[in-house]
């Protein structure tokens, strides 16, 4: 156990170093192959830097006569390969999976919610011993949970968790549910509302993914509660499945409300789209966004429109893989009540 703890500590150090900058986005920001290449390169660079640490992990496992608990085939999905943040989140899981000597099977949902179910089915039918799941809607959790239970395949929720307490209770009652990990999403929205109010800004509108998204809904609700509670005005909310679809929505909102102080993009893809819309419309306003990627950082450094970005170190992808590894090794992580571990408070910076 001491050697396994050492292995987990080294893996955490590996991926925390890998995520030098971070945040969890929601959909394609239009970066395409460039985003994929950069995210993969960042992860690989960190992996190379930590090679000595990984060698020690392997050595510790060999001492115990196993490959870090045994080799498994572990599946994981990611919503689309055009998002820097989403691919980085997935790469963190992949790195941990492979560091334990396992086989990783990644599935690209191609920004198609319906394809998620198909991809989970493919992971199960291909013989995965466990799966790490990213789900963008509460309506999907029970479906996936039932699929995994029927196939007797353990699963862990990565980055997004249901907001409905009834769904949570059903998940905790599922013997194949290994655990869940997500950011403290409400804190994201509260932080940016506090910043806007400190600047004396009173007028804005919000751009985000489809209504009901498990990450962005609590961000937006917390933002509105804090901002409107202090006298601020949110003119409207726009929702779209992708940044490409969000851009004309934001431009239409700017036409209707050109006197805004800022736009809140609840995910980095929507913040990036808001910057583009402001430039296209020639409107002098700022953008606040939650969730980092390389383009958001470039815009932040430029300073013309992007004012503040908050996010976390993509550690949900790391923790999710560690939770599943422990379950497969026969050492499931439990809370004080004996339930599968449920982490919903990964803090942003």
């Amino acid at each position: 156990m001491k050697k396994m703890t050492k292995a987990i500590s080294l893996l955490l150090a590996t991926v925390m170093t890998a995520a030098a900058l971070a945040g969890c986005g929601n959909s394609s920001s239009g970066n395409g192959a460039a985003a994929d290449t950069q995210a993969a390169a960042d992860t690989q660079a960190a992996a190379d830097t930590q090679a000595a640490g990984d060698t020690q992990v392997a050595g510790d496992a060999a001492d115990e006569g196993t490959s870090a608990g045994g080799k498994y085939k572990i599946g994981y999905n990611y919503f689309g390969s055009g998002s820097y943040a989403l691919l980085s989140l997935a790469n963190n899981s992949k790195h941990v999976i492979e560091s334990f000597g396992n086989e990783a099977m990644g599935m690209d949902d191609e920004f198609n919610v319906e394809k998620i179910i198909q991809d989970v089915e493919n992971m199960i039918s291909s013989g995965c011993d466990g799966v790490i799941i990213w789900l963008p809607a509460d309506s999907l959790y029970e479906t996936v949970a039932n699929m995994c239970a029927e196939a007797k395949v353990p699963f862990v929720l990565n980055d997004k968790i249901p907001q409905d307490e009834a769904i949570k209770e059903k998940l905790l009652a599922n013997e194949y549910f290994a655990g869940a990990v997500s950011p403290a999403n409400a804190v994201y929205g509260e932080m940016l509302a506090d910043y806007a109010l400190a600047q004396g800004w009173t007028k804005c509108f919000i751009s985000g993914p489809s209504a009901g998204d498990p990450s962005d809904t609590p961000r937006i609700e917390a933002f509105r509660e804090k901002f409107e509670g202090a006298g601020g005005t949110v003119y409207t909310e726009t929702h779209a499945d992708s940044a490409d679809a969000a851009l004309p929505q934001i431009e239409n909102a700017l036409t209707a409300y050109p006197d805004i102080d800022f736009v809140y993009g609840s995910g980095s893809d929507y913040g990036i789209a808001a910057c583009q819309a402001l430039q296209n419309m020639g409107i002098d306003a700022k953008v606040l966004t939650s969730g980092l990627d390389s383009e958001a950082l470039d815009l932040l450094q430029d300073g013309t429109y992007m004012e503040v970005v908050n996010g976390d170190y993509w550690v949900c992808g790391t923790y999710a893989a560690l939770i599943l590894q422990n379950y497969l090794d026969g050492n499931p992580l439990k809370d004080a009540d004996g339930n599968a571990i449920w982490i919903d408070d990964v803090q942003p910076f």
Side-chain angles (χ1 to χ4, degrees), residues 3 31 48 55 59 62 95 102 130 155 185 196 207 212-213 259 265 304 329:
K3 292 180 178 179
N31 292 339
D48 293 342
T55 299
H95 181 60
N102 303 316
F155 65 101
N185 285 298
S207 175
D213 183 276
D259 62 335
T304 303
D329 286 345

Side-chain angles (χ1 to χ4, degrees), residues 115-127 147:
K115 189 175 182 294
I116 293 176
I117 301 302
Q118 177 186 335
D119 287 341
V120 174
E121 289 176 341
N122 288 339
M123 287 188 282
I124 292 173
S125 64
S126 71
M147 290 168 57

Side-chain angles (χ1 to χ4, degrees), residues 163 185-186 189-190 193 206 212-213 215-228 237 264 266:
Q163 301 303 299
N185 285 298
E190 291 171 355
I206 298 168
D213 183 276
S215 296
D216 290 69
T217 298
R219 292 178 188 178
I220 291 171
E221 289 177 349
F223 173 87
R224 292 193 73 135
E225 182 177 357
K226 177 64 70 72
F227 188 68
E228 292 177 325
E237 282 184 34
Y264 174 37
S266 62

Side-chain angles (χ1 to χ4, degrees), residues 15 18 35-44 47 76-78 83-98 158 314 317-318 321:
V15 188
D36 298 350
T37 302
Q38 184 61 49
D42 289 350
T43 301
Q44 185 58 53
Y76 63 94
N77 75 310
Y78 51 99
S83 171
Y84 181 96
L86 289 177
L87 197 61
S88 296
L89 179 74
N91 283 343
N92 273 3
S93 292
K94 180 175 185 289
H95 181 60
V96 174
I97 292 167
E98 293 180 340
N158 175 25
W314 289 311
T318 306

Side-chain angles (χ1 to χ4, degrees), residues 263-308:
V263 179
Y264 174 37
S266 62
S268 59
D269 294 332
Y270 300 92
I272 292 167
C275 289
Q276 183 62 55
L278 289 171
Q279 183 177 22
N280 293 346
M281 303 287 289
I283 293 176
D284 183 17
K286 294 296 184 180
V287 174
L288 310 181
T289 196
S290 295
L292 278 167
D293 66 24
S294 57
E295 187 174 352
L297 286 176
D298 288 342
L299 290 166
L300 186 66
Q301 186 174 21
D302 174 72
T304 303
Y305 299 107
M306 189 71 78
E307 177 77 6
V308 176

